[in-house]
Amino acid sequence: MNLILLGPPGAGKGTQAKLLSARFNIPQISTGEILRSAVRESTVMGVRAKGFMDSGSLVPDEVVVGIVEERLLKADCQNGFILDGFPRTIPQADALGQTLQGLGKDLNHVIAITVDTNELIARITGRRTCIKCGKGYHITFDPPKVDGVCDLCGSDLCQRDDDKEETLRMRLQVYDKQTEPLISYYTAQSLVRTVLGQGSIEDIQRSIINLVEERA
Ligand code: ADP
Ligand code: ADP
Ligand code: ZN
């Protein structure tokens, strides 16, 4: 099953992708996570990407397209994958289409997750992430058992640099301008299924599973 999760920052893509990945045993491919780890390790790509990420704009298409092309070749993508945060522009979607064609794969579903802007802001400003295993939390909506400590691995939680209010507004604008047009792009290919991303994490997961199993 080859899936794209599409939605604005804070829609719950990462949260839902991790649950789907565990359930269907297919990898989550998060370009944001791959880029953040490149920044932490100060690789050539990380150094190049950092300025774009800090300002809330998109990293150039060729950088992220390269990441995804390489990732899709790995053996664990054989039975499917969940793209989280990619594609984010029409040229990225075109490049993905070509890559998949070259690999003899099709996209099965594009799940568009919708959430009100005010809720997105509340979610992003309260988002925390485990520095070691990457599990996501929310200080109010999905708190860890012990403040600031990951339930799964006991490591510290941190706030992303780009989750501060100023950068966040820029990211929401970038989404509207550059990424939202992908909904029409994939609607034209009859791939889009929309899920209301508000309510409990479990209920939303169930809605997504229902949608993908319907068309599996
Ligand atoms: P995205 O990957 O789309 O940016 P995340 O999955 O990181 O979004 O979720 C953003 C924040 O909202 C996180 O702090 C997460 O814990 C929280 N969150 C995710 N889903 C829900 C939900 N259904 N209700 C409330 N908070 C949620
Ligand atoms: P969120 O889950 O909040 O939407 P991500 O973790 O997906 O955020 O992305 C964080 C940042 O990484 C983006 O603001 C952007 O700078 C960069 N990034 C991630 N994915 C892409 C992509 N597909 N194209 C360009 N930039 C990207
Ligand atoms: Zn952890």
PDB file of all heavy atoms in Angstrom, residues 119-152:
ATOM      1  N   GLU A 119      -6.839  25.569  15.579  1.00  0.00           N
ATOM      2  CA  GLU A 119      -6.426  24.288  16.174  1.00  0.00           C
ATOM      3  C   GLU A 119      -4.988  23.945  15.750  1.00  0.00           C
ATOM      4  O   GLU A 119      -4.199  23.463  16.562  1.00  0.00           O
ATOM      5  CB  GLU A 119      -7.427  23.208  15.730  1.00  0.00           C
ATOM      6  CG  GLU A 119      -7.027  21.780  16.051  1.00  0.00           C
ATOM      7  CD  GLU A 119      -7.396  21.293  17.453  1.00  0.00           C
ATOM      8  OE1 GLU A 119      -8.185  21.999  18.137  1.00  0.00           O
ATOM      9  OE2 GLU A 119      -6.895  20.225  17.846  1.00  0.00           O
ATOM     10  N   LEU A 120      -4.656  24.249  14.492  1.00  0.00           N
ATOM     11  CA  LEU A 120      -3.281  23.976  14.025  1.00  0.00           C
ATOM     12  C   LEU A 120      -2.277  24.749  14.870  1.00  0.00           C
ATOM     13  O   LEU A 120      -1.247  24.214  15.284  1.00  0.00           O
ATOM     14  CB  LEU A 120      -3.102  24.387  12.554  1.00  0.00           C
ATOM     15  CG  LEU A 120      -3.872  23.593  11.507  1.00  0.00           C
ATOM     16  CD1 LEU A 120      -3.689  24.227  10.123  1.00  0.00           C
ATOM     17  CD2 LEU A 120      -3.408  22.132  11.476  1.00  0.00           C
ATOM     18  N   ILE A 121      -2.608  26.017  15.134  1.00  0.00           N
ATOM     19  CA  ILE A 121      -1.680  26.864  15.897  1.00  0.00           C
ATOM     20  C   ILE A 121      -1.524  26.311  17.316  1.00  0.00           C
ATOM     21  O   ILE A 121      -0.416  26.182  17.832  1.00  0.00           O
ATOM     22  CB  ILE A 121      -2.163  28.333  15.882  1.00  0.00           C
ATOM     23  CG1 ILE A 121      -2.099  28.853  14.431  1.00  0.00           C
ATOM     24  CG2 ILE A 121      -1.330  29.204  16.816  1.00  0.00           C
ATOM     25  CD1 ILE A 121      -2.766  30.193  14.201  1.00  0.00           C
ATOM     26  N   ALA A 122      -2.652  25.930  17.923  1.00  0.00           N
ATOM     27  CA  ALA A 122      -2.585  25.376  19.287  1.00  0.00           C
ATOM     28  C   ALA A 122      -1.767  24.084  19.299  1.00  0.00           C
ATOM     29  O   ALA A 122      -0.986  23.826  20.214  1.00  0.00           O
ATOM     30  CB  ALA A 122      -3.999  25.111  19.810  1.00  0.00           C
ATOM     31  N   ARG A 123      -1.916  23.292  18.270  1.00  0.00           N
ATOM     32  CA  ARG A 123      -1.183  22.021  18.242  1.00  0.00           C
ATOM     33  C   ARG A 123       0.312  22.235  18.069  1.00  0.00           C
ATOM     34  O   ARG A 123       1.121  21.593  18.727  1.00  0.00           O
ATOM     35  CB  ARG A 123      -1.676  21.162  17.074  1.00  0.00           C
ATOM     36  CG  ARG A 123      -3.019  20.548  17.342  1.00  0.00           C
ATOM     37  CD  ARG A 123      -3.280  19.547  16.262  1.00  0.00           C
ATOM     38  NE  ARG A 123      -4.643  19.058  16.339  1.00  0.00           N
ATOM     39  CZ  ARG A 123      -5.142  18.172  15.493  1.00  0.00           C
ATOM     40  NH1 ARG A 123      -4.397  17.715  14.512  1.00  0.00           N
ATOM     41  NH2 ARG A 123      -6.385  17.762  15.613  1.00  0.00           N
ATOM     42  N   ILE A 124       0.655  23.143  17.135  1.00  0.00           N
ATOM     43  CA  ILE A 124       2.084  23.292  16.836  1.00  0.00           C
ATOM     44  C   ILE A 124       2.822  23.952  17.989  1.00  0.00           C
ATOM     45  O   ILE A 124       3.945  23.572  18.315  1.00  0.00           O
ATOM     46  CB  ILE A 124       2.283  24.074  15.528  1.00  0.00           C
ATOM     47  CG1 ILE A 124       1.657  23.273  14.391  1.00  0.00           C
ATOM     48  CG2 ILE A 124       3.754  24.308  15.243  1.00  0.00           C
ATOM     49  CD1 ILE A 124       1.644  23.984  13.083  1.00  0.00           C
ATOM     50  N   THR A 125       2.159  24.929  18.635  1.00  0.00           N
ATOM     51  CA  THR A 125       2.872  25.611  19.718  1.00  0.00           C
ATOM     52  C   THR A 125       3.050  24.673  20.927  1.00  0.00           C
ATOM     53  O   THR A 125       3.966  24.861  21.712  1.00  0.00           O
ATOM     54  CB  THR A 125       2.174  26.935  20.118  1.00  0.00           C
ATOM     55  OG1 THR A 125       0.776  26.670  20.253  1.00  0.00           O
ATOM     56  CG2 THR A 125       2.340  27.999  19.061  1.00  0.00           C
ATOM     57  N   GLY A 126       2.200  23.648  21.038  1.00  0.00           N
ATOM     58  CA  GLY A 126       2.347  22.717  22.177  1.00  0.00           C
ATOM     59  C   GLY A 126       3.033  21.419  21.806  1.00  0.00           C
ATOM     60  O   GLY A 126       3.130  20.496  22.614  1.00  0.00           O
ATOM     61  N   ARG A 127       3.519  21.334  20.570  1.00  0.00           N
ATOM     62  CA  ARG A 127       4.133  20.076  20.124  1.00  0.00           C
ATOM     63  C   ARG A 127       5.498  19.870  20.798  1.00  0.00           C
ATOM     64  O   ARG A 127       6.303  20.789  20.899  1.00  0.00           O
ATOM     65  CB  ARG A 127       4.323  20.100  18.603  1.00  0.00           C
ATOM     66  CG  ARG A 127       5.182  18.967  18.089  1.00  0.00           C
ATOM     67  CD  ARG A 127       4.983  18.643  16.642  1.00  0.00           C
ATOM     68  NE  ARG A 127       5.208  19.758  15.747  1.00  0.00           N
ATOM     69  CZ  ARG A 127       4.914  19.713  14.443  1.00  0.00           C
ATOM     70  NH1 ARG A 127       4.378  18.627  13.912  1.00  0.00           N
ATOM     71  NH2 ARG A 127       5.140  20.760  13.689  1.00  0.00           N
ATOM     72  N   ARG A 128       5.755  18.655  21.217  1.00  0.00           N
ATOM     73  CA  ARG A 128       7.068  18.273  21.739  1.00  0.00           C
ATOM     74  C   ARG A 128       7.449  16.948  21.090  1.00  0.00           C
ATOM     75  O   ARG A 128       6.579  16.153  20.762  1.00  0.00           O
ATOM     76  CB  ARG A 128       7.037  18.079  23.271  1.00  0.00           C
ATOM     77  CG  ARG A 128       6.664  19.328  24.050  1.00  0.00           C
ATOM     78  CD  ARG A 128       7.740  20.428  23.970  1.00  0.00           C
ATOM     79  NE  ARG A 128       7.388  21.607  24.782  1.00  0.00           N
ATOM     80  CZ  ARG A 128       6.658  22.624  24.345  1.00  0.00           C
ATOM     81  NH1 ARG A 128       6.191  22.646  23.102  1.00  0.00           N
ATOM     82  NH2 ARG A 128       6.387  23.647  25.135  1.00  0.00           N
ATOM     83  N   THR A 129       8.744  16.723  20.933  1.00  0.00           N
ATOM     84  CA  THR A 129       9.197  15.515  20.251  1.00  0.00           C
ATOM     85  C   THR A 129      10.342  14.894  21.043  1.00  0.00           C
ATOM     86  O   THR A 129      11.201  15.614  21.569  1.00  0.00           O
ATOM     87  CB  THR A 129       9.699  15.889  18.836  1.00  0.00           C
ATOM     88  OG1 THR A 129       8.735  16.741  18.221  1.00  0.00           O
ATOM     89  CG2 THR A 129       9.888  14.663  17.968  1.00  0.00           C
ATOM     90  N   CYS A 130      10.368  13.580  21.109  1.00  0.00           N
ATOM     91  CA  CYS A 130      11.473  12.890  21.790  1.00  0.00           C
ATOM     92  C   CYS A 130      12.752  13.070  20.984  1.00  0.00           C
ATOM     93  O   CYS A 130      12.770  12.821  19.779  1.00  0.00           O
ATOM     94  CB  CYS A 130      11.144  11.408  21.935  1.00  0.00           C
ATOM     95  SG  CYS A 130      12.545  10.473  22.568  1.00  0.00           S
ATOM     96  N   ILE A 131      13.819  13.486  21.662  1.00  0.00           N
ATOM     97  CA  ILE A 131      15.076  13.726  20.945  1.00  0.00           C
ATOM     98  C   ILE A 131      15.694  12.421  20.446  1.00  0.00           C
ATOM     99  O   ILE A 131      16.486  12.420  19.522  1.00  0.00           O
ATOM    100  CB  ILE A 131      16.134  14.465  21.808  1.00  0.00           C
ATOM    101  CG1 ILE A 131      16.350  13.741  23.139  1.00  0.00           C
ATOM    102  CG2 ILE A 131      15.747  15.912  22.072  1.00  0.00           C
ATOM    103  CD1 ILE A 131      17.575  14.230  23.897  1.00  0.00           C
ATOM    104  N   LYS A 132      15.303  11.293  21.063  1.00  0.00           N
ATOM    105  CA  LYS A 132      15.954  10.044  20.671  1.00  0.00           C
ATOM    106  C   LYS A 132      15.104   9.236  19.689  1.00  0.00           C
ATOM    107  O   LYS A 132      15.544   8.924  18.591  1.00  0.00           O
ATOM    108  CB  LYS A 132      16.264   9.224  21.920  1.00  0.00           C
ATOM    109  CG  LYS A 132      17.116   8.032  21.608  1.00  0.00           C
ATOM    110  CD  LYS A 132      17.868   7.532  22.820  1.00  0.00           C
ATOM    111  CE  LYS A 132      18.611   6.264  22.490  1.00  0.00           C
ATOM    112  NZ  LYS A 132      18.414   5.247  23.530  1.00  0.00           N
ATOM    113  N   CYS A 133      13.861   8.915  20.066  1.00  0.00           N
ATOM    114  CA  CYS A 133      13.087   8.004  19.207  1.00  0.00           C
ATOM    115  C   CYS A 133      12.116   8.745  18.290  1.00  0.00           C
ATOM    116  O   CYS A 133      11.498   8.133  17.426  1.00  0.00           O
ATOM    117  CB  CYS A 133      12.348   6.958  20.040  1.00  0.00           C
ATOM    118  SG  CYS A 133      10.915   7.596  20.921  1.00  0.00           S
ATOM    119  N   GLY A 134      11.955  10.060  18.491  1.00  0.00           N
ATOM    120  CA  GLY A 134      11.128  10.840  17.566  1.00  0.00           C
ATOM    121  C   GLY A 134       9.636  10.802  17.862  1.00  0.00           C
ATOM    122  O   GLY A 134       8.844  11.414  17.159  1.00  0.00           O
ATOM    123  N   LYS A 135       9.227  10.101  18.916  1.00  0.00           N
ATOM    124  CA  LYS A 135       7.784  10.070  19.223  1.00  0.00           C
ATOM    125  C   LYS A 135       7.287  11.484  19.522  1.00  0.00           C
ATOM    126  O   LYS A 135       7.953  12.259  20.186  1.00  0.00           O
ATOM    127  CB  LYS A 135       7.522   9.137  20.406  1.00  0.00           C
ATOM    128  CG  LYS A 135       6.045   9.163  20.800  1.00  0.00           C
ATOM    129  CD  LYS A 135       5.577   7.972  21.580  1.00  0.00           C
ATOM    130  CE  LYS A 135       4.188   8.165  22.178  1.00  0.00           C
ATOM    131  NZ  LYS A 135       3.156   8.681  21.280  1.00  0.00           N
ATOM    132  N   GLY A 136       6.098  11.801  18.995  1.00  0.00           N
ATOM    133  CA  GLY A 136       5.533  13.135  19.184  1.00  0.00           C
ATOM    134  C   GLY A 136       4.558  13.175  20.354  1.00  0.00           C
ATOM    135  O   GLY A 136       3.893  12.188  20.666  1.00  0.00           O
ATOM    136  N   TYR A 137       4.499  14.338  21.006  1.00  0.00           N
ATOM    137  CA  TYR A 137       3.556  14.566  22.112  1.00  0.00           C
ATOM    138  C   TYR A 137       2.955  15.943  21.946  1.00  0.00           C
ATOM    139  O   TYR A 137       3.410  16.750  21.131  1.00  0.00           O
ATOM    140  CB  TYR A 137       4.303  14.526  23.462  1.00  0.00           C
ATOM    141  CG  TYR A 137       4.899  13.184  23.780  1.00  0.00           C
ATOM    142  CD1 TYR A 137       6.199  12.864  23.355  1.00  0.00           C
ATOM    143  CD2 TYR A 137       4.180  12.238  24.490  1.00  0.00           C
ATOM    144  CE1 TYR A 137       6.752  11.631  23.637  1.00  0.00           C
ATOM    145  CE2 TYR A 137       4.730  10.985  24.777  1.00  0.00           C
ATOM    146  CZ  TYR A 137       6.015  10.695  24.356  1.00  0.00           C
ATOM    147  OH  TYR A 137       6.555   9.476  24.639  1.00  0.00           O
ATOM    148  N   HIS A 138       1.929  16.228  22.776  1.00  0.00           N
ATOM    149  CA  HIS A 138       1.425  17.591  22.887  1.00  0.00           C
ATOM    150  C   HIS A 138       1.278  17.874  24.369  1.00  0.00           C
ATOM    151  O   HIS A 138       0.744  17.035  25.102  1.00  0.00           O
ATOM    152  CB  HIS A 138       0.079  17.733  22.173  1.00  0.00           C
ATOM    153  CG  HIS A 138      -0.356  19.160  22.099  1.00  0.00           C
ATOM    154  ND1 HIS A 138      -0.919  19.816  23.182  1.00  0.00           N
ATOM    155  CD2 HIS A 138      -0.271  20.071  21.099  1.00  0.00           C
ATOM    156  CE1 HIS A 138      -1.175  21.067  22.819  1.00  0.00           C
ATOM    157  NE2 HIS A 138      -0.782  21.247  21.574  1.00  0.00           N
ATOM    158  N   ILE A 139       1.735  19.059  24.793  1.00  0.00           N
ATOM    159  CA  ILE A 139       1.766  19.323  26.226  1.00  0.00           C
ATOM    160  C   ILE A 139       0.369  19.221  26.862  1.00  0.00           C
ATOM    161  O   ILE A 139       0.259  18.844  28.016  1.00  0.00           O
ATOM    162  CB  ILE A 139       2.431  20.679  26.573  1.00  0.00           C
ATOM    163  CG1 ILE A 139       1.856  21.806  25.727  1.00  0.00           C
ATOM    164  CG2 ILE A 139       3.950  20.611  26.379  1.00  0.00           C
ATOM    165  CD1 ILE A 139       2.361  23.194  26.134  1.00  0.00           C
ATOM    166  N   THR A 140      -0.697  19.514  26.111  1.00  0.00           N
ATOM    167  CA  THR A 140      -2.050  19.406  26.672  1.00  0.00           C
ATOM    168  C   THR A 140      -2.847  18.255  26.057  1.00  0.00           C
ATOM    169  O   THR A 140      -3.534  17.523  26.761  1.00  0.00           O
ATOM    170  CB  THR A 140      -2.849  20.706  26.390  1.00  0.00           C
ATOM    171  OG1 THR A 140      -1.972  21.815  26.463  1.00  0.00           O
ATOM    172  CG2 THR A 140      -3.992  20.869  27.361  1.00  0.00           C
ATOM    173  N   PHE A 141      -2.785  18.104  24.727  1.00  0.00           N
ATOM    174  CA  PHE A 141      -3.682  17.155  24.055  1.00  0.00           C
ATOM    175  C   PHE A 141      -3.176  15.708  24.100  1.00  0.00           C
ATOM    176  O   PHE A 141      -3.971  14.785  23.945  1.00  0.00           O
ATOM    177  CB  PHE A 141      -3.880  17.544  22.581  1.00  0.00           C
ATOM    178  CG  PHE A 141      -4.336  18.966  22.372  1.00  0.00           C
ATOM    179  CD1 PHE A 141      -3.882  19.702  21.274  1.00  0.00           C
ATOM    180  CD2 PHE A 141      -5.226  19.574  23.263  1.00  0.00           C
ATOM    181  CE1 PHE A 141      -4.300  21.011  21.066  1.00  0.00           C
ATOM    182  CE2 PHE A 141      -5.646  20.886  23.056  1.00  0.00           C
ATOM    183  CZ  PHE A 141      -5.177  21.610  21.960  1.00  0.00           C
ATOM    184  N   ASP A 142      -1.874  15.535  24.263  1.00  0.00           N
ATOM    185  CA  ASP A 142      -1.325  14.173  24.247  1.00  0.00           C
ATOM    186  C   ASP A 142      -0.033  14.164  25.065  1.00  0.00           C
ATOM    187  O   ASP A 142       1.054  13.920  24.547  1.00  0.00           O
ATOM    188  CB  ASP A 142      -1.048  13.773  22.776  1.00  0.00           C
ATOM    189  CG  ASP A 142      -0.639  12.315  22.632  1.00  0.00           C
ATOM    190  OD1 ASP A 142      -0.874  11.522  23.560  1.00  0.00           O
ATOM    191  OD2 ASP A 142      -0.068  11.972  21.568  1.00  0.00           O
ATOM    192  N   PRO A 143      -0.182  14.462  26.382  1.00  0.00           N
ATOM    193  CA  PRO A 143       1.027  14.659  27.199  1.00  0.00           C
ATOM    194  C   PRO A 143       1.709  13.340  27.566  1.00  0.00           C
ATOM    195  O   PRO A 143       1.059  12.307  27.623  1.00  0.00           O
ATOM    196  CB  PRO A 143       0.484  15.335  28.466  1.00  0.00           C
ATOM    197  CG  PRO A 143      -0.944  14.917  28.550  1.00  0.00           C
ATOM    198  CD  PRO A 143      -1.427  14.656  27.141  1.00  0.00           C
ATOM    199  N   PRO A 144       3.016  13.399  27.805  1.00  0.00           N
ATOM    200  CA  PRO A 144       3.712  12.199  28.285  1.00  0.00           C
ATOM    201  C   PRO A 144       3.313  11.946  29.747  1.00  0.00           C
ATOM    202  O   PRO A 144       2.769  12.839  30.405  1.00  0.00           O
ATOM    203  CB  PRO A 144       5.184  12.617  28.192  1.00  0.00           C
ATOM    204  CG  PRO A 144       5.156  14.107  28.358  1.00  0.00           C
ATOM    205  CD  PRO A 144       3.888  14.579  27.710  1.00  0.00           C
ATOM    206  N   LYS A 145       3.591  10.742  30.238  1.00  0.00           N
ATOM    207  CA  LYS A 145       3.214  10.416  31.628  1.00  0.00           C
ATOM    208  C   LYS A 145       3.984  11.297  32.617  1.00  0.00           C
ATOM    209  O   LYS A 145       3.442  11.752  33.606  1.00  0.00           O
ATOM    210  CB  LYS A 145       3.494   8.937  31.911  1.00  0.00           C
ATOM    211  CG  LYS A 145       2.583   8.037  31.091  1.00  0.00           C
ATOM    212  CD  LYS A 145       2.534   6.618  31.642  1.00  0.00           C
ATOM    213  CE  LYS A 145       1.610   5.738  30.833  1.00  0.00           C
ATOM    214  NZ  LYS A 145       2.181   5.339  29.517  1.00  0.00           N
ATOM    215  N   VAL A 146       5.275  11.515  32.321  1.00  0.00           N
ATOM    216  CA  VAL A 146       6.095  12.397  33.167  1.00  0.00           C
ATOM    217  C   VAL A 146       6.505  13.587  32.295  1.00  0.00           C
ATOM    218  O   VAL A 146       7.000  13.398  31.183  1.00  0.00           O
ATOM    219  CB  VAL A 146       7.371  11.658  33.654  1.00  0.00           C
ATOM    220  CG1 VAL A 146       8.227  12.573  34.517  1.00  0.00           C
ATOM    221  CG2 VAL A 146       7.004  10.374  34.384  1.00  0.00           C
ATOM    222  N   ASP A 147       6.278  14.793  32.830  1.00  0.00           N
ATOM    223  CA  ASP A 147       6.597  16.019  32.093  1.00  0.00           C
ATOM    224  C   ASP A 147       7.980  15.993  31.445  1.00  0.00           C
ATOM    225  O   ASP A 147       8.974  15.750  32.130  1.00  0.00           O
ATOM    226  CB  ASP A 147       6.612  17.184  33.111  1.00  0.00           C
ATOM    227  CG  ASP A 147       5.483  18.142  32.836  1.00  0.00           C
ATOM    228  OD1 ASP A 147       4.583  17.774  32.062  1.00  0.00           O
ATOM    229  OD2 ASP A 147       5.530  19.262  33.395  1.00  0.00           O
ATOM    230  N   GLY A 148       8.048  16.256  30.141  1.00  0.00           N
ATOM    231  CA  GLY A 148       9.353  16.419  29.497  1.00  0.00           C
ATOM    232  C   GLY A 148      10.117  15.134  29.250  1.00  0.00           C
ATOM    233  O   GLY A 148      11.269  15.170  28.811  1.00  0.00           O
ATOM    234  N   VAL A 149       9.480  13.963  29.523  1.00  0.00           N
ATOM    235  CA  VAL A 149      10.198  12.688  29.376  1.00  0.00           C
ATOM    236  C   VAL A 149       9.399  11.742  28.465  1.00  0.00           C
ATOM    237  O   VAL A 149       8.189  11.583  28.640  1.00  0.00           O
ATOM    238  CB  VAL A 149      10.396  12.015  30.765  1.00  0.00           C
ATOM    239  CG1 VAL A 149      11.131  10.684  30.608  1.00  0.00           C
ATOM    240  CG2 VAL A 149      11.151  12.935  31.706  1.00  0.00           C
ATOM    241  N   CYS A 150      10.090  11.112  27.516  1.00  0.00           N
ATOM    242  CA  CYS A 150       9.419  10.211  26.565  1.00  0.00           C
ATOM    243  C   CYS A 150       8.909   8.945  27.260  1.00  0.00           C
ATOM    244  O   CYS A 150       9.659   8.277  27.974  1.00  0.00           O
ATOM    245  CB  CYS A 150      10.394   9.836  25.454  1.00  0.00           C
ATOM    246  SG  CYS A 150       9.692   8.703  24.236  1.00  0.00           S
ATOM    247  N   ASP A 151       7.633   8.608  27.025  1.00  0.00           N
ATOM    248  CA  ASP A 151       7.051   7.380  27.596  1.00  0.00           C
ATOM    249  C   ASP A 151       7.770   6.138  27.091  1.00  0.00           C
ATOM    250  O   ASP A 151       7.879   5.137  27.796  1.00  0.00           O
ATOM    251  CB  ASP A 151       5.587   7.204  27.145  1.00  0.00           C
ATOM    252  CG  ASP A 151       4.661   8.248  27.732  1.00  0.00           C
ATOM    253  OD1 ASP A 151       5.083   8.988  28.654  1.00  0.00           O
ATOM    254  OD2 ASP A 151       3.507   8.331  27.253  1.00  0.00           O
ATOM    255  N   LEU A 152       8.198   6.179  25.827  1.00  0.00           N
ATOM    256  CA  LEU A 152       8.744   4.968  25.214  1.00  0.00           C
ATOM    257  C   LEU A 152      10.180   4.704  25.596  1.00  0.00           C
ATOM    258  O   LEU A 152      10.560   3.577  25.848  1.00  0.00           O
ATOM    259  CB  LEU A 152       8.667   5.071  23.674  1.00  0.00           C
ATOM    260  CG  LEU A 152       7.281   5.159  23.054  1.00  0.00           C
ATOM    261  CD1 LEU A 152       7.386   5.155  21.535  1.00  0.00           C
ATOM    262  CD2 LEU A 152       6.406   3.998  23.536  1.00  0.00           C
TER     263      LEU A 152
END
